[in-house]
Amino acid sequence: AGCGGNAAPSGTSNQPAAAGGDSKPSYNFKLAHITPPTHTWHLAAEKFKEELDKRSGGRMKLEIYPSSQLGTEADMVQQIGAGSVDFGLITAAYLSSRSPSFSAWFTPYAFPDLKAANEARHTDVAKKILATLEQQGLVGLDYLFAGQRVMLFKDKEVLKPEDMAGLKLRVTPSPPLQDFYKFAGASTEGLPLPEVYSAVQTGVIDGMDMDLDATITNKYYEVVKYGAVTNHMVWPAVAMVSKGTFDKMPDEDKQIVRDAIAAAADFSATTRAGQEEEFKKTLSDKGMKIYEIDPALFGPIMKEFDQKYGPTNPLIQEFIDTFRK
Ligand code: 3HB
């Protein structure tokens, strides 16, 4: 669907290569994601590649397909389910429309900072949410974070939630993200990342939900004036592997994959946490006004989120109970 198929080298990548004697299998894996090669997640994918190579003594090779080369996230998940692509870094936002418990990650203001979100990877509830992918032929391995969510406005300085009333804002097509802005009185446009730049440039939208990472890598600073660094939600990618690929691997190799992705996830969150001030400065230098909004002003919206989403799903309720202080 949509990706045109064989951008990939010939042969299925998910078969352990036949090995003579009792030597261990070797692998040529493929990994796909939607972000450009400058984005934190791509750097994490490269780290994963290095770790796989090192930890397997050269038996595990990885080819990375960034920038939606293999299609939309829907296309990628389909390919991973079928086993023609082995690994994906897929936004939790997209997954929330296939497996509702992923909405839990968009509990507004659940974490004080990225470090706390990264530590939440290891909790029972985070692991149970990953496990819901199993029914779809996918094995959820781990979470990789980019920066938290911020708000960009083309030409209105929004200082409180009420200022968003009547604005048309791009919000990624995921129910909890859409609701957050609807609770504030904005109208939302469910555009995926590649369509956002021209929509704001031409005035189809007045602003967007974004993170500092993509604001820089996708050059939104060219077309918006105001950036409210609210950090109101985290932004995880889910590292997943095809169940077909994984089930065929010996336990020792599965563990190598798990350890390599955990190293990449730690690398990603730690690197990104250290870039917050630098990213804000980059955007100020590009001419944007960068400012903050007091989280307390979003108190009623947090309450509305918890009341609407908690009762829909036991894992979302468990997540809220675990992290909402
Ligand atoms: C998004 O806002 O849709 C998005 C942002 C990222 C990475 C992927 C998608 O930093």
Side-chain angles (χ1 to χ4, degrees):
C3 74
N6 293 328
S10 59
T12 48
S13 60
N14 59 3
Q15 294 286 349
D22 43 31
S23 61
K24 295 176 179 175
S26 57
Y27 306 86
N28 289 304
F29 294 128
K30 294 176 207 160
L31 177 149
H33 66 86
I34 61 171
T35 63
T38 44
H39 192 280
T40 312
W41 290 346
H42 186 74
L43 306 181
E46 304 223 315
K47 174 78 173 167
F48 178 49
K49 175 185 171 116
E50 251 175 66
E51 293 285 333
L52 282 177
D53 189 50
K54 191 172 77 189
R55 290 167 190 265
S56 69
R59 292 185 297 115
M60 294 184 187
K61 300 291 180 202
L62 182 70
E63 203 150 348
I64 305 170
Y65 296 84
S67 308
S68 294
Q69 279 173 35
L70 300 188
T72 63
E73 293 198 304
D75 297 328
M76 289 177 208
V77 168
Q78 191 270 328
Q79 293 164 65
I80 296 163
S84 58
V85 172
D86 306 292
F87 293 96
L89 305 181
I90 303 294
T91 62
Y94 169 69
L95 293 174
S96 71
S97 61
R98 300 179 60 115
S99 199
S101 63
F102 282 92
S103 291
W105 285 101
F106 305 105
T107 302
Y109 296 98
F111 302 104
D113 54 32
L114 206 51
K115 186 165 172 281
N118 190 45
E119 283 163 6
R121 280 166 54 214
H122 304 296
T123 58
D124 277 356
V125 65
K127 289 177 191 168
K128 284 189 265 184
I129 293 170
L130 281 182
T132 63
L133 293 173
E134 194 90 10
Q135 302 139 9
Q136 306 186 35
L138 309 167
V139 179
L141 293 172
D142 214 329
Y143 300 94
L144 279 78
F145 291 88
Q148 302 189 69
R149 302 311 281 178
V150 305
M151 301 172 186
L152 308 182
F153 302 102
K154 188 175 162 85
D155 40 35
K156 177 174 179 180
E157 184 175 4
V158 166
L159 298 171
K160 53 186 185 306
E162 293 75 18
D163 294 346
M164 287 192 264
L167 293 185
K168 185 173 268 195
L169 302 177
R170 173 272 173 167
V171 182
T172 200
S174 157
L177 280 114
Q178 294 268 331
D179 271 334
F180 180 84
Y181 287 91
K182 285 181 187 149
F183 294 155
S187 72
T188 60
E189 195 68 57
L191 301 174
L193 202 60
E195 291 171 34
V196 174
Y197 186 100
S198 75
V200 70
Q201 187 180 37
T202 57
V204 171
I205 52 173
D206 304 304
M208 64 187 84
D209 180 87
M210 195 43 68
D211 51 38
L212 298 178
D213 311 53
T215 307
I216 295 171
T217 59
N218 292 42
K219 298 193 165 71
Y220 299 128
Y221 52 77
E222 293 176 351
V223 286
V224 300
K225 293 200 190 82
Y226 298 100
V229 182
T230 45
N231 287 337
H232 54 283
M233 290 175 187
V234 294
W235 191 246
V238 173
M240 59 172 68
V241 58
S242 171
K243 189 163 163 20
T245 300
F246 211 53
D247 284 352
K248 288 193 206 93
M249 296 173 69
D251 287 346
E252 179 196 355
D253 288 354
K254 286 182 181 156
Q255 195 56 46
I256 290 174
V257 166
R258 289 192 180 280
D259 293 344
I261 200 71
D266 278 325
F267 166 84
S268 176
T270 312
T271 309
R272 178 56 186 83
Q275 289 169 320
E276 187 77 0
E277 293 313 310
E278 171 198 329
F279 282 7
K280 287 197 262 186
K281 180 167 186 312
T282 299
L283 294 172
S284 301
D285 290 349
K286 296 285 184 189
M288 282 182 68
K289 175 159 185 189
I290 298 295
Y291 60 100
E292 289 174 14
I293 301 179
D294 182 358
L297 298 178
F298 289 93
I301 295 178
M302 294 181 218
K303 210 172 196 174
E304 216 167 338
F305 177 94
D306 295 2
Q307 283 170 355
K308 174 164 179 181
Y309 280 86
T312 62
N313 184 295
L315 291 176
I316 299 178
Q317 190 61 58
E318 185 178 341
F319 193 99
I320 292 170
D321 294 341
T322 305
F323 299 113
R324 178 80 74 213
K325 297 284 149 59

